[in-house]
């Protein structure tokens, strides 16, 4: 992978105390020389903010790696017919030109932002300075390290093999951790994830003493002075989100002991009786008619802030879209068979994202999760790490069935569902798989869950009732490296 020698800067205005919606005012991107940018603290903040803004682009978590391509791979939606724009994705036809183009966009944007993180890290140096004193040094460097690790991990989870003893040494992807114009070697998954863990551990140490989220909480009300660089911590890759990423990474590696350690530590830190940093969504917020919290925003540990999020909804889910352009659980009508097949409890808060929507001429069962709700909770939020994933990691990794079931049912209870009593670990894992699918819809995690577990029977995207199950060929879990990458090597 060739490293870009410029850094994308997107100007970000300071948060005003009264409104998170004015945090990011996206202006035309400037490609400025490094020496012009890193002359003061404000320049460093603009640089790191620019990475966050670009992460919310369509090529990454603003569509392809959240609600779009990656969730289509997970077989969430009813896609029956070769004319559907996502047909080749749902059938894993990776040689199709349009499919190759989509993955190319993901790859290029991801490594572009990794390159930008490397520039920021290089300019941060190893110690605080007069230009970048504490706590800004620890926060900016810690976030840049964590962002670099997270993006790399997602590229491995998408383009790399299923992690196993047989595959972990085979060359897979480049890990770019410095500014260089040389073609980086392809690393095996074990060495690659070693770099991910090292970056996350370094980030954790930097953030543990500098991130105000540990003492002040998420601070989503904004600063009374208007100085918001250290506020709105749910929209930054904060200390707690880094620990969640460590749990996610270790579980990907099959190290359940380490994954459980970080998950349990994190749950103790953020959900103790005297410190609820990420409280479960309330009943009133979840069922609100006027301003429903469809994001369960209080539980989100890390998200992107995208004032154009409604455009993603309009492109993918709006009831006015033609059936072959829309991601839906029905065939452009009010059939809710697929909805009922996923949710086992009619009182489940998550079921409320599926509604019968109408534009006056068409009425159809519609995914409303990202529909715009003016002044609603989490209006511009794209969740990337949430509390429920940590609970499900703890449930999956705990060797004690009773304890694991307690973690699992704490999530069920928070979703207004009846508790379950699996008879053994196998039964519990089956329920965790179902729960993960309900929980992560629209957030780009389900395909990676299937891949991590090498699952060979997936929900069927071509039938309304998701069964009979679709047979998954294991090699389809590995997306081929883009031509722009392979052309440099062979």
């Amino acid at each position: 992978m060739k490293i870009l020698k410029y850094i994308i800067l997107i100007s970000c205005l300071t948060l005003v105390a009264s409104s998170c919606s004015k945090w990011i005012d996206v202006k035309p991107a400037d490609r400025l020389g490094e020496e012009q940018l890193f002359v003061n603290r404000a320049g460093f903040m603009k640089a790191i903010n620019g990475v966050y803004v670009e992460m919310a682009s369509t090529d990454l978590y603003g569509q392809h790696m959240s609600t779009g391509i990656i969730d289509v791979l997970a077989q969430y939606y009813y896609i029956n017919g070769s004319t559907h724009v996502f047909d080749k994705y749902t059938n894993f036809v990776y040689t199709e030109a349009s499919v190759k183009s989509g993955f190319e966009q993901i790859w290029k944007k991801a490594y572009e932002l990794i390159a930008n993180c490397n520039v920021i890290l290089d300019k941060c140096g190893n110690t605080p300075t007069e230009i970048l004193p504490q706590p800004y040094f620890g926060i900016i460097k810690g976030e840049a390290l964590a962002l670099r690790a997270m993006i790399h991990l997602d590229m491995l989870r998408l383009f790399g093999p299923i992690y196993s003893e047989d595959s972990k040494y085979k060359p897979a992807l480049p890990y770019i951790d410095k500014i260089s114009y040389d073609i980086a070697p392809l690393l095996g998954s074990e060495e690659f994830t070693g770099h991910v863990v090292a970056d996350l551990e370094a980030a954790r140490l930097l953030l543990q003493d500098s991130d105000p989220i540990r003492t002040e909480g998420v601070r989503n009300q904004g600063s009374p002075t208007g100085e918001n660089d250290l506020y709105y911590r749910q929209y930054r890759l904060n200390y707690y989100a880094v620990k969640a990423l460590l749990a996610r990474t270790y579980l990907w590696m099959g190290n359940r002991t380490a994954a459980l350690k970080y998950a349990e530590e994190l749950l103790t830190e953020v959900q103790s009786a005297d410190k609820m940093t990420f409280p479960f969504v309330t009943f009133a917020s979840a069922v609100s008619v006027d301003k429903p919290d469809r994001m369960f925003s209080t539980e989100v540990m890390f998200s992107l802030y995208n004032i154009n999020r409604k455009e993603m909804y309009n492109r993918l889910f709006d009831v006015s879209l033609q059936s072959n352009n829309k991601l839906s659980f029905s065939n452009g009508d009010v059939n809710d068979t697929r909805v009922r097949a996923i949710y086992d409890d009619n009182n489940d808060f998550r079921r409320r994202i599926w509604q019968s929507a109408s534009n006056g001429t068409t009425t159809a069962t519609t995914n409303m999760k990202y529909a715009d709700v003016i002044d609603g909770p989490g209006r511009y939020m794209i969740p990337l790490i949430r509390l429920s994933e940590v609970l499900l990691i703890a449930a999956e990794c705990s060797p004690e069935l009773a304890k694991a079931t307690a973690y699992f049912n704490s999530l069920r209870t928070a979703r207004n569902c009846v508790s379950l009593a699996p008879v053994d670990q196998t039964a519990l894992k089956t329920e965790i798989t179902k729960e993960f699918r309900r929980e992560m819809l629209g957030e780009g995690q389900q395909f990676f869950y299937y891949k991590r577990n090498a699952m060979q029977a997936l929900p069927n995207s071509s039938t309304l009732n998701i069964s009979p199950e679709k047979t998954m060929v294991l090699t389809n879990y590995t997306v081929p490296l883009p031509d722009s990458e392979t052309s440099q090597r062979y």
Side-chain angles (χ1 to χ4, degrees):
M1 185 70 200
K2 292 183 178 178
I3 294 297
L4 307 178
K5 68 177 181 179
Y6 55 78
I7 184 163
I8 292 177
L9 166 63
I10 297 203
S11 300
C12 298
L13 298 184
T14 303
L15 281 167
V16 295
S18 61
S19 175
C20 186
S21 67
K22 295 184 180 179
W23 179 24
I24 296 174
D25 182 14
V26 180
K27 297 182 177 181
D30 296 317
R31 291 175 177 175
L32 302 180
E34 296 169 18
E35 299 307 320
Q36 293 174 272
L37 183 61
F38 298 103
V39 295
N40 52 33
R41 191 187 85 201
F44 279 91
M45 292 303 301
K46 287 179 179 179
I48 195 74
N49 286 348
V51 174
Y52 285 112
V53 171
E54 288 296 296
M55 285 175 70
S57 69
T58 301
D59 293 343
L60 279 180
Y61 304 101
Q63 182 167 314
H64 291 348
M65 289 292 289
S66 56
T67 62
I69 290 172
I70 199 71
D71 264 9
V72 170
L73 295 180
Q75 310 300 303
Y76 267 119
Y77 300 103
Y78 175 64
I79 298 175
N80 186 15
S82 60
T83 61
H84 197 287
V85 293
F86 285 106
D87 173 70
K88 297 300 187 293
Y89 286 101
T90 200
N91 289 303
F92 313 106
V93 186
Y94 297 138
T95 56
E96 170 73 21
S98 62
V99 174
K100 292 175 69 173
S101 176
F103 289 120
E104 181 86 45
Q105 292 167 22
I106 292 171
W107 178 272
K108 284 185 174 180
K109 178 59 70 173
Y111 276 96
E112 178 183 285
L113 296 185
I114 287 168
N116 294 338
C117 288
N118 285 335
V119 174
I120 295 170
L121 290 166
D122 179 70
K123 294 301 178 180
C124 281
N126 296 319
T127 57
T129 63
E130 184 177 348
I131 291 175
L132 192 63
Q134 286 287 28
Y136 299 96
F137 170 81
I139 287 176
I140 292 173
K141 186 169 184 178
E143 288 181 15
L145 282 165
L147 289 168
R148 181 172 77 182
M150 177 182 173
I151 297 171
H152 270 114
L153 177 63
D154 278 353
M155 293 304 98
L156 179 68
R157 294 198 295 172
L158 184 58
F159 294 98
I162 298 171
Y163 195 102
S164 68
E165 287 299 315
D166 292 333
S167 71
K168 66 182 184 180
Y169 301 115
K170 296 178 181 178
L173 272 74
Y175 199 96
I176 313 297
D177 58 2
K178 60 185 177 181
I179 300 171
S180 173
Y181 306 110
D182 298 327
I183 297 175
L186 299 179
L187 305 181
S189 297
E190 183 176 58
E191 185 176 0
F192 190 99
T193 50
H195 286 288
V196 172
V197 169
D199 275 352
L200 291 174
E201 285 290 4
R204 182 183 65 82
L205 291 173
L206 285 163
L207 290 167
Q208 71 178 4
D209 296 324
S210 59
D211 194 342
I213 198 171
R214 300 191 71 196
T215 55
E216 304 296 330
V218 297
R219 299 174 118 187
N220 280 350
Q221 290 71 42
S223 168
T225 66
E227 179 68 31
N228 287 298
D229 288 347
L230 304 181
Y231 284 72
Y232 298 92
R233 297 303 296 163
Q234 278 181 295
Y235 296 96
R236 317 292 291 198
L237 221 173
N238 60 71
Y239 171 81
Y240 296 129
V242 168
K243 295 194 78 170
L245 275 175
L246 279 162
R248 179 188 286 177
T249 304
Y250 276 118
L251 188 52
W252 181 260
M253 298 166 64
N255 189 336
R256 295 162 64 89
T257 300
L260 179 62
K261 169 184 176 292
Y262 279 104
E264 290 191 322
E265 283 182 4
L266 183 51
L267 291 171
T268 299
E269 287 182 84
V270 302
Q271 281 218 316
S272 60
D274 60 340
K275 185 181 179 184
M276 279 285 180
T277 309
F278 302 104
F280 287 120
V281 66
T282 65
F283 180 88
S285 293
V287 304
S288 171
V289 175
D290 298 327
K291 296 179 182 179
D293 187 353
R294 298 188 181 115
M295 295 296 105
F296 303 160
S297 60
T298 55
E299 305 173 23
V300 175
M301 292 185 169
F302 170 50
S303 64
L304 298 176
Y305 186 93
N306 184 2
I307 59 174
N308 298 313
R309 196 189 73 181
K310 66 179 180 181
E311 295 178 8
M312 177 176 69
Y313 170 82
N314 292 338
R315 287 191 299 266
L316 297 179
F317 305 109
D318 190 271
V319 68
S320 300
L321 292 169
Q322 295 295 314
S323 294
N324 61 352
N325 289 320
K326 180 167 56 175
L327 294 180
S328 174
F329 270 26
S330 72
N331 191 26
D333 52 31
V334 295
N335 189 306
D336 68 346
T337 301
R338 203 171 177 88
V339 176
R340 287 185 280 111
I342 289 180
Y343 302 97
D344 66 340
D345 192 317
N346 289 336
N347 296 313
D348 192 330
F349 291 154
R350 293 164 298 195
R351 186 169 179 156
R352 291 172 172 268
I353 70 171
W354 295 100
Q355 297 182 19
S356 180
S358 177
N359 63 359
T361 58
T362 301
T363 302
T365 298
T366 303
N367 180 352
M368 304 291 287
K369 185 168 184 173
Y370 289 103
D372 191 37
V373 178
I374 297 175
D375 295 330
R379 181 183 183 187
Y380 300 121
M381 179 178 277
I382 299 177
L384 297 183
I385 303 172
R386 60 167 63 250
L387 177 69
S388 55
E389 181 184 359
V390 181
L391 283 166
L392 291 175
I393 289 174
E396 182 177 347
C397 295
S398 178
E400 303 172 34
L401 180 60
K403 192 172 185 181
T405 302
Y407 284 128
F408 173 77
N409 279 328
S410 66
L411 176 58
R412 294 273 300 178
T413 300
R415 296 294 176 258
N416 203 34
C417 299
V418 296
S419 294
L420 302 179
V423 296
D424 55 26
Q425 292 284 2
T426 300
L428 175 61
K429 183 60 183 288
T430 298
E431 295 303 329
I432 288 172
T433 300
K434 296 176 183 177
E435 206 66 28
F436 200 92
R437 188 162 185 258
R438 298 175 191 123
E439 189 67 19
M440 298 301 169
L441 176 65
E443 299 185 18
Q445 298 300 323
Q446 186 61 46
F447 179 72
F448 298 140
Y449 179 92
Y450 291 148
K451 182 172 181 175
R452 172 170 61 81
N453 289 285
M455 294 184 65
Q456 293 179 274
L458 303 187
N460 197 328
S461 62
S462 63
T463 63
L464 285 174
N465 61 4
I466 74 175
S467 62
E469 291 181 311
K470 182 175 186 174
T471 300
M472 180 63 167
V473 179
L474 292 182
T475 53
N476 284 340
Y477 279 120
T478 301
V479 176
L481 295 183
D483 291 344
S484 63
E485 181 65 27
T486 58
S487 64
Q488 301 180 68
R489 299 179 181 277
Y490 308 115

